[in-house]
Amino acid sequence: MPSEQVETLIIGGGQAGLAMSAQLRERGVSHLVLERHRIAERWRSERWDSLVANGPAWHDRFPIRSFDQVDPDAFAPRDQIVAYFEGVAAQIEAPVRCGVEVTSLAHGDAGFVAETSAGRIEARNVVVATGPFQKPLVLTLVPQSAGIMQMHSNAYRNPSQLPEGAVLVVGAGSSGSQIADEINRAGRKVYLSVGPHDRPPRGYRGRDFCWWLGVLGQWDAKVKAPGTEHITIAVSGAYGGHTVDFRDLAAQGMTLLGRVGAYQDGVLAVGDDLARNIRAGDANYLATLDLADAYAAAEGLDMPLEEEAKLIGPDPDCVTHPILALDLAKAGITSIIWATGFALDFGWLKVDAFDEKGRPAHDRGVSRVPGLYFLGLPWLSRRASPFIWGVWHDAEYLAEHIAAR
């Protein structure tokens, strides 16, 4: 069977792939988008039922389209996010083929050869837009023989899928803190392992934290090299949006832990870092407030003061007297949710496009292999890169580069 010929192939039909398609279409660049499942599949099948966006609808969107039936200051629920991306695809007439998986990509006479579940495709340019949530990371600490249900956060849907008993949630970024909060509100006993994190204010002086990070230049923050890990941020749009304060979660009955370690004879070792991690999160929170105050003063902005926002409550008992060894049976723990993030998985990419640590080698998404591009990765060009609105600007840069070839 002869190969199909395309000018530019986009692999992935999520937010990155659609942003890339829109930018290429605007420049008249012929292209094809391949999606192995459905548009925005990870939002559909790898998120919990009650998930909402962590940024308000005015912010977490592409500039070409607003959310339907979502107040600009509200947080779009998962189903509305899926509908949004379906609407984007229809609006830009994206040439998306769903249900087609790319099994390998290698060099070819025309540039690249993609072997897919629907045949071979040759392309002059390829944009890898598979996103940052590729391979769930699960700590292999507790053996399956322990008889405890274990899952990654991408498999969690709601508290009803968990067996009766207490739940251990490992990881206190946005996913871990929100899942733990939901399970706790459902009346279950929850233990939450809290590692290093940032925890910005949900809102301050009448503005959402997304607005503050923008005017303070923090969305544009650069890193020394591509591949630097994304900062864990504890923030939530759930229940109308609120600042994540682990002291509040403890006051609601949750038990906080430091980072978990080795497992032996039914007992998990727990680090003594809980208080330090809480303090570092507080420092990040207060520093953001100070920067916001300084900006408001310098710009002469008429914004109400919120001195009460700077009050930090007392540490709960689980912080002042931390658990350093957690007996799972005695604690009644019957399930563990690993909210421990994801790793990249480019085993199918058979070209020399990686550094010595196996990370994509690129400059703002332009790889060292002519014609090969990456989009949607954390810190691709700046802090905003993996977010809905941030990926749009990275796609604009790559589209200009592709159009100029």
Side-chain angles (χ1 to χ4, degrees):
M1 181 180 294
S3 301
E4 181 179 359
Q5 308 288 324
V6 300
E7 182 175 352
T8 298
L9 178 64
I10 301 170
I11 303 174
Q15 63 191 40
L18 293 177
M20 193 74 246
S21 179
Q23 295 287 3
L24 290 177
R25 181 177 184 272
E26 184 176 319
R27 290 159 180 79
V29 177
S30 175
H31 63 281
L32 172 66
V33 183
L34 297 183
E35 166 55 48
R36 63 180 176 175
H37 296 303
R38 297 169 292 179
I39 290 172
E41 182 63 33
R42 297 195 192 280
W43 287 101
R44 298 175 189 266
S45 60
E46 298 185 22
R47 302 291 187 271
W48 61 98
D49 296 343
S50 65
L51 175 72
V52 300
N54 285 328
W58 66 260
H59 181 267
D60 282 6
R61 64 180 182 88
F62 291 159
I64 62 170
R65 188 179 183 88
S66 299
F67 275 91
D68 296 330
Q69 302 176 345
V70 179
D71 185 277
D73 290 319
F75 304 92
R78 185 190 65 173
D79 291 347
Q80 285 285 342
I81 294 171
V82 172
Y84 176 84
F85 285 122
E86 289 178 328
V88 168
Q91 177 180 335
I92 65 174
E93 299 178 333
V96 181
R97 290 183 194 168
C98 292
V100 179
E101 181 177 7
V102 176
T103 55
S104 73
L105 183 77
H107 290 290
D109 294 338
F112 302 94
V113 176
E115 299 290 348
T116 83
S117 58
R120 176 177 293 185
I121 297 176
E122 296 187 36
R124 183 167 181 262
N125 307 299
V126 174
V127 181
V128 179
T130 49
F133 306 114
Q134 298 175 15
K135 184 179 180 181
L137 291 174
V138 176
L139 302 183
T140 55
L141 298 177
V142 181
Q144 293 300 319
S145 60
I148 293 175
M149 175 185 278
Q150 300 184 59
M151 68 180 67
H152 190 268
S153 58
N154 76 330
Y156 170 77
R157 296 294 173 265
N158 56 66
S160 67
Q161 77 184 114
L162 305 177
E164 293 185 5
V167 182
L168 169 62
V169 179
V170 179
S174 292
S175 295
S177 58
Q178 290 179 45
I179 289 171
D181 188 14
E182 175 177 85
I183 297 172
N184 190 65
R185 289 172 186 249
R188 307 289 288 275
K189 176 60 184 175
V190 176
Y191 293 80
L192 176 62
S193 174
V194 180
H197 59 276
D198 285 353
R199 64 171 197 96
R202 172 75 270 172
Y204 183 57
R205 298 183 70 170
R207 294 283 190 168
D208 187 87
F209 95 99
C210 292
W211 185 88
W212 281 115
L213 293 190
V215 299
L216 295 174
Q218 293 188 17
W219 285 126
D220 293 326
K222 306 293 192 298
V223 289
K224 294 181 179 180
T228 300
E229 292 183 356
H230 181 58
I231 298 170
T232 295
I233 300 178
V235 67
S236 178
Y239 312 108
H242 61 278
T243 298
V244 174
D245 188 333
F246 294 105
R247 293 177 179 83
D248 291 341
L249 296 179
Q252 295 162 17
M254 198 178 298
T255 299
L256 309 178
L257 308 169
R259 285 186 287 185
V260 297
Y263 172 88
Q264 186 175 4
D265 298 329
V267 178
L268 265 176
V270 181
D272 63 357
D273 58 340
L274 176 59
R276 293 194 302 274
N277 296 336
I278 295 292
R279 301 266 188 279
D282 293 343
N284 168 259
Y285 168 81
L286 293 171
T288 302
L289 300 189
D290 288 343
L291 289 172
D293 286 342
Y295 178 87
E299 297 296 321
L301 301 181
D302 183 15
M303 292 179 160
L305 293 173
E306 288 188 42
E307 293 299 330
E308 66 278 7
K310 300 179 181 179
L311 301 177
I312 301 294
D315 287 339
D317 183 71
C318 58
V319 174
T320 56
H321 299 88
I323 295 173
L324 300 179
L326 182 64
D327 187 312
L328 300 180
K330 288 184 178 179
I333 292 172
T334 58
S335 54
I336 301 175
I337 297 174
W338 300 98
T340 41
F342 297 80
L344 300 177
D345 184 5
F346 292 117
W348 53 272
L349 194 50
K350 310 299 183 182
V351 296
D352 183 19
F354 304 95
D355 62 20
E356 65 280 357
K357 294 183 179 180
R359 303 171 302 191
H362 66 88
D363 179 13
R364 295 184 63 181
V366 181
S367 86
R368 64 189 182 190
V369 178
L372 181 66
Y373 304 86
F374 292 94
L375 181 63
L377 300 180
W379 297 101
L380 189 86
S381 69
R382 54 188 178 141
R383 183 177 181 178
S385 288
F387 298 96
I388 294 174
W389 69 278
V391 76
W392 179 267
H393 300 284
D394 286 341
E396 182 177 27
Y397 176 79
L398 295 185
E400 290 287 348
H401 196 280
I402 292 171
R405 289 194 79 216

